[in-house]
Amino acid sequence: MARTSAASDTSSQQGLRQALSAFYTGSPESPEALAKCAVTGMAHVPGGVRVVAEHLWPKSAAATFPLELKYGVNNPSNSIFFHQCIEKQFDQLRVCLVCNPFDISATFVVLDQELLLQDVEGTGHDFKYLDKKYLKFDEDKRPSFQLLSRHAQQAFAHPGNKQWMPEEDLLSFKSVLQVGSPQKSAD
């Protein structure tokens, strides 16, 4: 998936960061609001914690963007801020967000159990601390649950996940994905 470094200075990347900041916080001018990880809540720290803007549907696959969605690949709801360690694992389908459209929340799920004891650099936490973390979103300031659900379905279908997660956990989350895939018109 395409990503934009919070530390990068190119005008298009700066524009994406400002659009994301305006979308999620209402303030495109506030530097500390520009890049806050959705999972850890930590802000980007120059020379320290890197927070990146992650496209949920890859920019490189813009031609195949789901037509049922009313916006394009560069819409802020197709992006989310992640700590760089989380973003890397998200891209590799080793973690995902399982959405609950009924209370506008998601659960951060670590699929690859080998990640559990790895540190999330600069946070003082490991992936085990973040596993099954409940994330609450505002109705009008959230990533597309439809796209997050598509990512989660791909992650759960990934060939490695049968060895990653205990079967009972895998089955419980798969049932949520089958039942809870949001079809709200807001997406």
Side-chain angles (χ1 to χ4, degrees):
M1 297 200 173
R3 68 179 156 166
T4 302
S5 168
S8 177
D9 289 328
T10 67
S11 60
S12 66
Q13 291 171 340
Q14 180 67 24
L16 175 61
R17 286 175 28 222
Q18 287 179 337
L20 282 172
S21 181
F23 181 73
Y24 285 114
T25 69
S27 174
E29 304 303 321
S30 175
E32 66 275 5
L34 283 175
K36 234 177 224 187
C37 176
V39 178
T40 66
M42 294 187 74
H44 175 75
V45 176
V49 173
R50 279 191 64 208
V51 176
V52 293
E54 171 73 13
H55 276 94
L56 304 176
W57 192 267
K59 193 173 181 179
S60 62
T64 61
F65 192 76
L67 295 177
E68 70 272 15
L69 300 179
K70 296 178 174 75
Y71 50 83
V73 72
N74 287 320
N75 186 286
S77 64
N78 182 38
S79 297
I80 190 168
F81 283 125
F82 279 142
H83 183 286
Q84 67 182 4
C85 292
I86 293 171
E87 182 271 339
K88 179 181 177 184
Q89 305 313 324
F90 186 86
D91 276 354
Q92 294 175 0
L93 303 175
R94 296 173 78 188
V95 301
C96 66
L97 293 175
V98 176
C99 300
N100 180 346
F102 304 108
D103 73 349
I104 313 167
S105 68
T107 302
F108 179 74
V109 179
V110 177
L111 294 166
D112 184 349
Q113 303 297 285
E114 289 183 12
L115 285 178
L116 293 176
L117 298 178
Q118 289 184 22
D119 287 335
V120 180
E121 182 184 331
T123 67
H125 301 298
D126 55 22
F127 278 92
K128 184 175 185 174
Y129 177 81
L130 299 174
D131 187 32
K132 315 267 185 321
K133 182 175 181 180
Y134 175 84
L135 309 173
K136 183 75 171 152
F137 295 99
D138 292 334
E139 172 63 36
D140 58 341
K141 296 178 183 178
R142 63 176 175 84
S144 167
F145 278 15
Q146 206 166 8
L147 293 177
L148 283 173
S149 292
R150 286 180 185 223
H151 175 272
Q153 288 167 342
Q154 288 176 340
F156 278 97
H158 189 275
N161 80 10
K162 290 195 187 316
Q163 291 82 38
W164 288 348
M165 183 177 243
E167 189 66 27
E168 60 276 3
D169 288 348
L170 189 61
L171 291 173
S172 70
F173 281 113
K174 279 187 174 182
S175 68
V176 169
L177 287 173
Q178 291 169 357
V179 173
S181 214
Q183 301 297 322
K184 297 182 111 182
S185 61
D187 268 0

